[in-house]
Coordinates of all heavy atoms in Angstrom, one line a residue:
M1 N 15.7 7.4 -7.7 CA 14.7 6.5 -8.3 C 13.3 6.8 -7.8 O 13.1 6.8 -6.6 CB 15.1 5.0 -8.0 CG 14.1 4.0 -8.5 SD 14.8 2.9 -9.7 CE 13.3 2.2 -10.4
T2 N 12.4 7.0 -8.7 CA 11.0 7.2 -8.2 C 10.1 6.0 -8.6 O 10.3 5.5 -9.7 CB 10.4 8.5 -8.9 OG1 10.6 8.4 -10.3 CG2 11.1 9.7 -8.3
F3 N 9.3 5.7 -7.7 CA 8.4 4.5 -8.0 C 7.0 5.0 -8.4 O 6.1 5.2 -7.6 CB 8.3 3.6 -6.8 CG 9.6 3.0 -6.4 CD1 10.4 3.6 -5.5 CD2 10.1 1.9 -7.1 CE1 11.7 3.0 -5.1 CE2 11.3 1.3 -6.8 CZ 12.1 1.9 -5.8
D4 N 6.9 5.3 -9.7 CA 5.7 5.9 -10.2 C 4.7 4.8 -10.7 O 3.6 5.1 -11.1 CB 5.9 6.9 -11.3 CG 6.9 6.3 -12.4 OD1 7.4 5.2 -12.3 OD2 7.1 7.0 -13.4
T5 N 5.2 3.5 -10.7 CA 4.2 2.5 -11.0 C 4.3 1.3 -10.0 O 5.4 1.2 -9.4 CB 4.5 1.9 -12.4 OG1 5.8 1.2 -12.4 CG2 4.5 2.9 -13.5
L6 N 3.3 0.6 -9.9 CA 3.3 -0.6 -8.9 C 4.3 -1.6 -9.4 O 4.9 -2.3 -8.6 CB 1.9 -1.2 -8.8 CG 0.9 -0.4 -8.0 CD1 -0.5 -1.0 -8.1 CD2 1.3 -0.4 -6.5
G7 N 4.4 -1.8 -10.7 CA 5.4 -2.8 -11.2 C 6.8 -2.5 -10.8 O 7.5 -3.4 -10.3
K8 N 7.2 -1.3 -10.8 CA 8.6 -0.9 -10.4 C 8.7 -1.2 -8.9 O 9.7 -1.7 -8.4 CB 8.8 0.6 -10.6 CG 9.5 0.9 -11.9 CD 9.9 2.4 -11.9 CE 9.7 3.0 -13.3 NZ 9.9 4.4 -13.3
A9 N 7.7 -0.8 -8.1 CA 7.7 -0.9 -6.7 C 7.8 -2.4 -6.3 O 8.5 -2.8 -5.4 CB 6.5 -0.3 -6.0
A10 N 7.0 -3.2 -7.1 CA 7.0 -4.7 -6.8 C 8.3 -5.3 -7.1 O 8.8 -6.2 -6.3 CB 5.9 -5.3 -7.6
L11 N 8.9 -4.8 -8.1 CA 10.2 -5.4 -8.5 C 11.3 -5.2 -7.4 O 12.2 -6.0 -7.2 CB 10.7 -4.6 -9.8 CG 11.7 -5.4 -10.7 CD1 11.1 -6.6 -11.3 CD2 12.2 -4.4 -11.8
H12 N 11.2 -4.1 -6.8 CA 12.1 -3.7 -5.7 C 11.6 -4.1 -4.3 O 12.1 -3.7 -3.3 CB 12.4 -2.2 -5.7 CG 13.2 -1.8 -6.9 ND1 14.6 -1.7 -6.9 CD2 12.9 -1.6 -8.2 CE1 15.0 -1.4 -8.1 NE2 14.0 -1.3 -8.9
Q13 N 10.5 -5.0 -4.3 CA 9.9 -5.5 -3.1 C 9.6 -4.4 -2.1 O 9.9 -4.5 -0.9 CB 10.8 -6.5 -2.5 CG 11.1 -7.7 -3.4 CD 11.8 -8.9 -2.7 OE1 12.8 -8.7 -2.0 NE2 11.2 -10.0 -2.9
M14 N 8.9 -3.4 -2.6 CA 8.6 -2.3 -1.7 C 7.3 -2.6 -1.0 O 6.5 -3.4 -1.4 CB 8.3 -1.0 -2.5 CG 9.5 -0.6 -3.4 SD 10.9 0.0 -2.4 CE 10.4 1.6 -2.1
L15 N 7.2 -1.9 0.2 CA 5.9 -1.9 0.9 C 5.3 -0.6 0.7 O 5.9 0.4 0.5 CB 6.2 -2.1 2.4 CG 6.4 -3.5 2.9 CD1 6.4 -3.4 4.4 CD2 5.3 -4.4 2.5
L16 N 4.0 -0.6 0.7 CA 3.2 0.7 0.5 C 2.4 0.9 1.8 O 1.8 0.1 2.3 CB 2.3 0.4 -0.7 CG 1.9 1.6 -1.5 CD1 1.8 1.2 -2.9 CD2 0.5 2.0 -1.0
T17 N 2.6 2.1 2.3 CA 1.8 2.5 3.5 C 0.8 3.6 3.1 O 1.1 4.5 2.4 CB 2.6 3.0 4.6 OG1 3.4 4.1 4.2 CG2 3.6 1.9 5.1
A18 N -0.4 3.4 3.5 CA -1.4 4.4 3.4 C -1.8 4.9 4.7 O -2.2 4.2 5.6 CB -2.7 3.8 2.7
T19 N -1.6 6.2 4.9 CA -1.9 6.8 6.2 C -3.1 7.7 6.1 O -3.1 8.7 5.2 CB -0.7 7.6 6.8 OG1 0.5 6.7 6.7 CG2 -0.9 8.0 8.2
C20 N -4.1 7.5 6.9 CA -5.3 8.4 6.9 C -4.9 9.8 7.4 O -4.3 9.9 8.5 CB -6.4 7.8 7.7 SG -7.8 8.8 7.8
R21 N -5.2 10.8 6.6 CA -4.8 12.2 7.1 C -5.8 12.6 8.2 O -5.5 13.6 8.9 CB -4.9 13.2 5.9 CG -3.8 13.0 4.9 CD -3.7 14.2 4.1 NE -2.5 14.1 3.1 CZ -2.7 13.7 1.9 NH1 -3.8 13.3 1.4 NH2 -1.6 13.5 1.1
R22 N -6.9 12.0 8.3 CA -7.9 12.4 9.3 C -7.6 11.8 10.7 O -7.6 12.5 11.7 CB -9.3 12.1 8.9 CG -10.3 13.2 9.2 CD -11.6 12.8 8.7 NE -11.8 13.2 7.3 CZ -13.0 13.1 6.7 NH1 -14.0 12.6 7.3 NH2 -13.1 13.4 5.4
C23 N -7.4 10.5 10.8 CA -7.2 9.9 12.1 C -5.8 9.3 12.3 O -5.5 8.8 13.4 CB -8.3 8.8 12.3 SG -8.1 7.4 11.3
G24 N -5.0 9.3 11.3 CA -3.7 8.8 11.4 C -3.5 7.2 11.3 O -2.5 6.7 11.5
R25 N -4.6 6.6 11.0 CA -4.6 5.1 10.9 C -3.7 4.7 9.7 O -3.8 5.4 8.7 CB -6.0 4.6 10.7 CG -6.1 3.1 10.8 CD -7.6 2.7 10.7 NE -7.8 1.3 10.8 CZ -7.6 0.5 9.8 NH1 -7.2 0.9 8.6 NH2 -7.8 -0.8 10.0
Q26 N -2.9 3.7 9.9 CA -2.0 3.3 8.9 C -2.2 1.9 8.4 O -2.5 1.0 9.3 CB -0.6 3.5 9.4 CG 0.4 3.6 8.3 CD 1.8 3.7 8.9 OE1 2.4 2.9 9.5 NE2 2.4 4.9 8.6
A27 N -2.2 1.6 7.1 CA -2.3 0.3 6.6 C -1.1 0.0 5.7 O -0.6 0.9 5.0 CB -3.6 0.1 5.8
K28 N -0.6 -1.2 5.8 CA 0.6 -1.5 4.9 C 0.2 -2.6 3.9 O -0.6 -3.5 4.2 CB 1.7 -2.0 5.8 CG 2.4 -1.0 6.7 CD 3.6 -1.6 7.3 CE 4.3 -0.6 8.2 NZ 3.5 -0.2 9.4
F29 N 0.7 -2.4 2.7 CA 0.5 -3.4 1.7 C 1.8 -3.8 1.0 O 2.7 -3.0 1.0 CB -0.4 -2.7 0.6 CG -1.8 -2.2 1.1 CD1 -1.9 -0.9 1.6 CD2 -2.9 -3.1 1.1 CE1 -3.1 -0.5 2.1 CE2 -4.1 -2.6 1.6 CZ -4.2 -1.3 2.1
V30 N 1.8 -5.0 0.5 CA 2.9 -5.4 -0.3 C 2.7 -5.0 -1.7 O 1.6 -5.3 -2.3 CB 3.1 -7.0 -0.2 CG1 4.3 -7.4 -1.0 CG2 3.2 -7.4 1.2
A31 N 3.6 -4.3 -2.3 CA 3.5 -3.7 -3.6 C 3.1 -4.8 -4.6 O 2.3 -4.6 -5.6 CB 4.7 -2.9 -4.0
E32 N 3.7 -5.9 -4.4 CA 3.5 -7.0 -5.4 C 2.0 -7.4 -5.4 O 1.5 -7.7 -6.5 CB 4.4 -8.2 -5.0 CG 4.6 -9.2 -6.1 CD 5.5 -10.4 -5.7 OE1 6.2 -10.3 -4.7 OE2 5.4 -11.4 -6.4
D33 N 1.5 -7.5 -4.3 CA 0.0 -7.9 -4.2 C -0.8 -6.8 -4.9 O -1.8 -7.2 -5.6 CB -0.4 -7.9 -2.7 CG 0.2 -9.1 -2.0 OD1 0.7 -10.0 -2.7 OD2 0.1 -9.1 -0.8
L34 N -0.5 -5.6 -4.7 CA -1.3 -4.5 -5.3 C -1.1 -4.5 -6.8 O -2.1 -4.3 -7.5 CB -0.9 -3.2 -4.7 CG -1.2 -3.0 -3.2 CD1 -0.5 -1.7 -2.7 CD2 -2.7 -2.9 -2.9
A35 N 0.1 -4.8 -7.2 CA 0.3 -4.9 -8.7 C -0.5 -5.9 -9.3 O -1.0 -5.8 -10.4 CB 1.8 -5.1 -8.9
R36 N -0.7 -7.0 -8.6 CA -1.5 -8.2 -9.1 C -2.9 -7.8 -9.2 O -3.6 -8.2 -10.1 CB -1.3 -9.4 -8.2 CG -1.2 -10.7 -8.9 CD -0.8 -11.8 -8.0 NE 0.6 -11.8 -7.7 CZ 1.1 -12.1 -6.5 NH1 0.4 -12.4 -5.5 NH2 2.4 -12.1 -6.3
V37 N -3.4 -7.0 -8.3 CA -4.8 -6.6 -8.3 C -5.1 -5.4 -9.2 O -6.1 -5.4 -10.0 CB -5.3 -6.3 -6.8 CG1 -6.7 -5.8 -6.8 CG2 -5.1 -7.5 -5.9
Y38 N -4.2 -4.4 -9.1 CA -4.5 -3.2 -9.8 C -3.8 -3.0 -11.1 O -4.0 -2.1 -11.9 CB -4.2 -2.0 -8.9 CG -5.1 -1.9 -7.7 CD1 -4.7 -2.2 -6.5 CD2 -6.5 -1.5 -7.9 CE1 -5.5 -2.2 -5.4 CE2 -7.3 -1.4 -6.8 CZ -6.8 -1.8 -5.5 OH -7.6 -1.7 -4.4
G39 N -2.8 -3.9 -11.4 CA -2.0 -3.8 -12.6 C -0.7 -3.1 -12.4 O -0.6 -2.2 -11.6
S40 N 0.3 -3.6 -13.0 CA 1.7 -3.1 -12.7 C 2.0 -1.7 -13.3 O 3.0 -1.1 -12.9 CB 2.7 -4.1 -13.2 OG 2.6 -4.3 -14.6
S41 N 1.1 -1.2 -14.1 CA 1.3 0.1 -14.7 C 0.6 1.2 -13.9 O 0.7 2.4 -14.2 CB 0.9 0.2 -16.1 OG -0.4 -0.1 -16.3
R42 N -0.1 0.8 -12.8 CA -0.9 1.7 -12.0 C 0.1 2.6 -11.1 O 1.0 2.1 -10.5 CB -1.8 0.9 -11.1 CG -2.8 1.8 -10.3 CD -3.9 2.3 -11.2 NE -4.7 3.3 -10.4 CZ -5.9 3.0 -9.9 NH1 -6.4 1.8 -10.2 NH2 -6.6 3.9 -9.3
N43 N -0.2 3.9 -11.1 CA 0.5 4.7 -10.2 C 0.1 4.5 -8.8 O -1.1 4.7 -8.5 CB 0.3 6.2 -10.6 CG 1.1 7.2 -9.8 OD1 1.5 6.9 -8.7 ND2 1.4 8.3 -10.4
P44 N 1.0 4.1 -7.9 CA 0.6 3.7 -6.5 C -0.1 4.9 -5.8 O -0.9 4.7 -4.9 CB 1.9 3.3 -5.8 CG 3.0 3.7 -6.7 CD 2.4 3.9 -8.1
H45 N 0.2 6.1 -6.2 CA -0.3 7.3 -5.5 C -1.7 7.6 -5.9 O -2.4 8.5 -5.3 CB 0.6 8.5 -5.7 CG 2.0 8.3 -5.2 ND1 2.3 8.4 -3.8 CD2 3.1 7.9 -5.8 CE1 3.6 8.1 -3.7 NE2 4.1 7.8 -4.8
T46 N -2.3 6.8 -6.8 CA -3.7 7.1 -7.3 C -4.6 6.0 -6.8 O -5.7 5.9 -7.3 CB -3.7 7.2 -8.8 OG1 -3.4 6.0 -9.4 CG2 -2.8 8.3 -9.3
L47 N -4.1 5.1 -6.0 CA -4.9 4.0 -5.6 C -6.0 4.4 -4.6 O -5.8 5.3 -3.8 CB -4.1 2.9 -4.9 CG -3.1 2.1 -5.8 CD1 -2.2 1.3 -4.9 CD2 -3.8 1.3 -6.8
P48 N -7.2 3.8 -4.7 CA -8.4 4.3 -4.0 C -8.4 3.7 -2.6 O -9.3 2.9 -2.2 CB -9.5 3.8 -4.8 CG -9.0 2.5 -5.4 CD -7.5 2.7 -5.6
F49 N -7.5 4.1 -1.7 CA -7.5 3.7 -0.3 C -8.6 4.4 0.4 O -8.8 5.6 0.3 CB -6.1 3.9 0.3 CG -5.1 3.0 -0.2 CD1 -4.0 3.5 -0.8 CD2 -5.2 1.6 -0.1 CE1 -3.0 2.7 -1.3 CE2 -4.2 0.8 -0.6 CZ -3.1 1.3 -1.2
K50 N -9.2 3.6 1.3 CA -10.2 4.2 2.1 C -10.0 3.8 3.6 O -9.8 2.6 3.8 CB -11.6 3.8 1.6 CG -12.7 4.5 2.2 CD -14.0 4.1 1.5 CE -15.1 3.9 2.5 NZ -16.3 3.3 1.8
C51 N -10.1 4.8 4.4 CA -9.9 4.5 5.9 C -11.1 3.7 6.4 O -12.3 4.2 6.2 CB -9.7 5.7 6.7 SG -9.5 5.5 8.4
T52 N -10.9 2.6 7.0 CA -12.1 1.8 7.5 C -12.5 2.4 8.9 O -13.6 2.0 9.4 CB -11.7 0.3 7.7 OG1 -10.5 0.2 8.5 CG2 -11.5 -0.3 6.3
T53 N -11.8 3.2 9.5 CA -12.2 3.8 10.8 C -13.1 5.0 10.6 O -14.2 5.1 11.2 CB -10.9 4.2 11.6 OG1 -10.1 3.1 11.8 CG2 -11.3 4.8 12.9
C54 N -12.7 5.9 9.8 CA -13.5 7.2 9.7 C -14.1 7.3 8.3 O -14.7 8.4 7.9 CB -12.7 8.4 10.1 SG -11.2 8.7 9.2
D55 N -13.9 6.3 7.4 CA -14.6 6.3 6.1 C -14.0 7.4 5.2 O -14.7 7.7 4.2 CB -16.1 6.4 6.3 CG -16.8 5.6 5.2 OD1 -16.3 4.5 4.9 OD2 -17.9 6.0 4.8
A56 N -12.9 7.9 5.5 CA -12.3 9.0 4.6 C -11.5 8.4 3.5 O -10.8 7.3 3.7 CB -11.5 9.9 5.4
K57 N -11.4 9.1 2.4 CA -10.6 8.6 1.3 C -9.3 9.5 1.2 O -8.6 9.4 0.2 CB -11.3 8.6 0.0 CG -12.2 7.4 -0.2 CD -12.9 7.4 -1.5 CE -13.9 6.3 -1.7 NZ -14.8 6.4 -2.8
D58 N -9.1 10.2 2.2 CA -8.0 11.2 2.2 C -6.7 10.5 2.9 O -6.5 10.6 4.0 CB -8.4 12.4 3.0 CG -7.4 13.5 2.8 OD1 -6.5 13.4 1.9 OD2 -7.4 14.5 3.5
C59 N -6.0 9.7 2.1 CA -4.9 8.9 2.6 C -3.6 9.4 1.9 O -3.6 9.7 0.7 CB -5.1 7.4 2.3 SG -6.2 6.7 3.5
E60 N -2.6 9.4 2.7 CA -1.3 9.7 2.2 C -0.6 8.4 1.9 O -0.4 7.5 2.8 CB -0.5 10.5 3.2 CG 0.8 11.1 2.6 CD 1.7 11.7 3.7 OE1 1.2 12.2 4.7 OE2 2.9 11.7 3.5
V61 N -0.1 8.2 0.7 CA 0.5 7.0 0.3 C 2.1 7.2 0.2 O 2.6 8.1 -0.3 CB 0.0 6.5 -1.1 CG1 0.8 5.3 -1.6 CG2 -1.5 6.3 -1.1
R62 N 2.7 6.2 0.9 CA 4.2 6.3 0.9 C 4.7 4.9 0.5 O 4.1 3.9 0.9 CB 4.7 6.6 2.3 CG 4.8 8.1 2.4 CD 5.9 8.5 3.5 NE 5.5 9.7 4.1 CZ 5.1 9.9 5.3 NH1 5.1 8.9 6.2 NH2 4.8 11.1 5.8
L63 N 5.9 4.9 -0.1 CA 6.5 3.6 -0.4 C 7.8 3.5 0.4 O 8.5 4.4 0.7 CB 6.9 3.6 -1.9 CG 5.8 3.5 -2.9 CD1 6.2 4.0 -4.2 CD2 5.3 2.0 -3.0
M64 N 8.0 2.2 0.9 CA 9.2 2.0 1.6 C 9.8 0.6 1.3 O 9.1 -0.3 0.9 CB 9.0 2.2 3.1 CG 8.0 1.3 3.7 SD 7.8 1.9 5.4 CE 6.9 0.5 6.1
G65 N 11.1 0.5 1.4 CA 11.8 -0.7 1.0 C 11.8 -1.7 2.1 O 11.6 -1.5 3.3
L66 N 12.1 -3.0 1.7 CA 12.3 -4.0 2.6 C 13.8 -4.3 2.7 O 14.5 -4.1 1.7 CB 11.6 -5.3 2.1 CG 10.1 -5.4 2.3 CD1 9.6 -6.6 1.5 CD2 9.7 -5.5 3.7
P67 N 14.4 -4.7 3.8 CA 13.7 -4.9 5.0 C 13.4 -3.6 5.8 O 14.3 -2.7 5.7 CB 14.6 -5.8 5.8 CG 16.0 -5.5 5.3 CD 15.8 -5.0 3.9
F68 N 12.3 -3.5 6.4 CA 12.0 -2.3 7.2 C 11.9 -2.7 8.6 O 12.1 -3.9 9.0 CB 10.7 -1.7 6.7 CG 9.5 -2.5 7.0 CD1 8.6 -2.2 7.9 CD2 9.3 -3.7 6.2 CE1 7.5 -3.0 8.2 CE2 8.2 -4.5 6.5 CZ 7.3 -4.1 7.5
D69 N 11.7 -1.7 9.4 CA 11.6 -2.0 10.9 C 10.3 -2.7 11.2 O 9.3 -2.2 11.3 CB 11.6 -0.6 11.6 CG 11.6 -0.8 13.1 OD1 11.9 -1.9 13.6 OD2 11.3 0.1 13.8
R70 N 10.5 -4.1 11.2 CA 9.3 -4.9 11.4 C 8.9 -5.1 12.8 O 9.5 -5.9 13.5 CB 9.5 -6.3 10.7 CG 8.3 -7.0 10.4 CD 8.6 -8.4 9.8 NE 8.7 -8.3 8.4 CZ 7.6 -8.6 7.6 NH1 6.5 -9.0 8.2 NH2 7.7 -8.6 6.3
K71 N 8.0 -4.3 13.3 CA 7.6 -4.4 14.7 C 6.6 -5.5 14.8 O 5.9 -5.9 13.8 CB 6.9 -3.1 15.1 CG 7.8 -1.9 15.1 CD 7.0 -0.6 15.4 CE 7.8 0.6 15.0 NZ 7.0 1.8 14.7
P72 N 6.5 -6.1 16.0 CA 5.5 -7.2 16.1 C 4.1 -6.8 15.8 O 3.3 -7.7 15.4 CB 5.6 -7.5 17.6 CG 6.9 -6.9 18.1 CD 7.2 -5.8 17.2
D73 N 3.8 -5.6 15.9 CA 2.4 -5.2 15.6 C 2.1 -4.7 14.2 O 1.1 -4.3 13.8 CB 1.9 -4.1 16.6 CG 2.7 -2.8 16.4 OD1 3.8 -2.9 15.8 OD2 2.3 -1.8 16.9
T74 N 3.2 -4.9 13.4 CA 3.0 -4.5 12.0 C 2.0 -5.4 11.3 O 2.2 -6.6 11.2 CB 4.4 -4.6 11.3 OG1 5.2 -3.6 11.9 CG2 4.2 -4.2 9.8
I75 N 1.0 -4.8 10.8 CA 0.0 -5.6 10.0 C 0.1 -5.3 8.6 O 0.2 -4.1 8.2 CB -1.4 -5.2 10.5 CG1 -1.6 -5.5 12.0 CG2 -2.4 -6.0 9.7 CD1 -2.8 -4.9 12.6
I76 N 0.3 -6.3 7.8 CA 0.3 -6.1 6.3 C -1.0 -6.5 5.8 O -1.5 -7.6 5.9 CB 1.5 -6.8 5.7 CG1 2.8 -6.3 6.2 CG2 1.4 -6.7 4.2 CD1 4.0 -6.9 5.6
W77 N -1.7 -5.5 5.2 CA -3.0 -5.8 4.6 C -2.9 -6.3 3.2 O -2.1 -5.9 2.5 CB -3.8 -4.5 4.6 CG -4.1 -4.0 6.0 CD1 -3.2 -3.4 6.8 CD2 -5.3 -3.9 6.7 NE1 -3.8 -3.1 8.0 CE2 -5.1 -3.3 7.9 CE3 -6.7 -4.3 6.3 CZ2 -6.2 -3.2 8.8 CZ3 -7.7 -4.1 7.2 CH2 -7.4 -3.6 8.5
R78 N -3.7 -7.2 3.0 CA -3.7 -7.8 1.6 C -5.0 -7.4 1.0 O -6.0 -7.5 1.6 CB -3.5 -9.3 1.6 CG -2.2 -9.7 2.2 CD -1.8 -11.0 1.8 NE -0.4 -11.2 2.2 CZ 0.6 -11.4 1.4 NH1 0.3 -11.6 0.1 NH2 1.8 -11.6 1.8
P79 N -4.9 -6.9 -0.3 CA -6.1 -6.5 -1.0 C -7.0 -7.7 -1.2 O -6.5 -8.8 -1.6 CB -5.6 -5.9 -2.3 CG -4.3 -6.5 -2.5 CD -3.7 -6.8 -1.1
T80 N -8.3 -7.5 -1.0 CA -9.2 -8.6 -1.2 C -10.1 -8.2 -2.4 O -10.8 -7.2 -2.4 CB -10.1 -8.9 0.1 OG1 -10.6 -7.6 0.5 CG2 -9.2 -9.5 1.1
K81 N -10.1 -9.1 -3.3 CA -11.0 -8.9 -4.4 C -11.5 -10.3 -4.8 O -10.8 -11.3 -4.6 CB -10.2 -8.3 -5.6 CG -10.3 -6.8 -5.6 CD -10.1 -6.3 -7.0 CE -10.4 -4.7 -7.0 NZ -10.3 -4.2 -8.3
G82 N -12.7 -10.3 -5.3 CA -13.4 -11.6 -5.6 C -12.6 -12.6 -6.4 O -12.4 -13.7 -6.0
R83 N -12.1 -12.1 -7.5 CA -11.5 -13.0 -8.5 C -10.0 -13.1 -8.2 O -9.4 -12.2 -7.7 CB -11.8 -12.6 -9.9 CG -10.8 -11.7 -10.5 CD -11.4 -11.1 -11.8 NE -10.9 -9.7 -11.9 CZ -9.7 -9.4 -12.4 NH1 -8.8 -10.4 -12.7 NH2 -9.2 -8.2 -12.5
R84 N -9.4 -14.2 -8.6 CA -8.0 -14.4 -8.4 C -7.3 -14.7 -9.8 O -7.9 -15.4 -10.5 CB -7.7 -15.6 -7.5 CG -7.7 -15.2 -6.1 CD -7.3 -16.3 -5.2 NE -7.3 -15.7 -3.8 CZ -6.2 -15.2 -3.2 NH1 -5.1 -15.3 -3.8 NH2 -6.3 -14.7 -2.0
Ligands
ZN101 ZN1 -9.2 7.6 9.3

C-alpha cells in the first residue's frame, strides 16, 4: 500500500516525518492535521516543508504508522494557518 495522498494517510492514522537533509532536524506531523490544512488529495511528498533551523526546503518526507515508538521527546508539530 502506498500513501500517495494525505487522505489515505489520514485514514490509516499515519504520522508524517520531515527530515532536513542539511542538518538532520526532524519534525513530525499528524497526517490528519495536514489533510485538513492542505486537502486530502494532496501528495504528502510534495508538501512545502521548510527547516526552521537552516532555512532549507530540502526535506525528506516519510510516512509511518501509529502506534510508533513514542519517545518522551517526540514532538508532533501541528500546522499553523490563520483560518480554521
Ligand atoms: Zn535544517
Side-chain angles (χ1 to χ4, degrees):
M1 173 120 198
T2 52
F3 295 98
D4 51 354
T5 66
L6 282 174
K8 267 190 219 172
L11 203 67
H12 291 262
Q13 301 193 308
M14 303 292 278
L15 278 186
L16 204 143
T17 60
T19 309
C20 177
R21 286 198 179 95
R22 218 178 276 184
C23 70
R25 190 177 182 278
Q26 200 180 65
K28 291 188 178 70
F29 301 89
V30 180
E32 199 184 339
D33 290 345
L34 294 171
R36 221 170 279 144
V37 175
Y38 295 105
S40 55
S41 60
R42 184 75 187 256
N43 184 334
H45 298 281
T46 66
L47 292 173
F49 290 118
K50 189 171 140 189
C51 179
T52 53
T53 301
C54 59
D55 216 36
K57 280 185 184 164
D58 194 11
C59 282
E60 189 188 335
V61 175
R62 273 205 207 116
L63 287 159
M64 56 187 195
L66 285 172
F68 66 108
D69 183 18
R70 197 182 268 269
K71 297 174 194 155
D73 62 343
T74 296
I75 302 164
I76 296 180
W77 295 70
R78 298 201 168 241
T80 48
K81 272 206 169 180
R83 91 195 146 79
R84 271 187 182 262

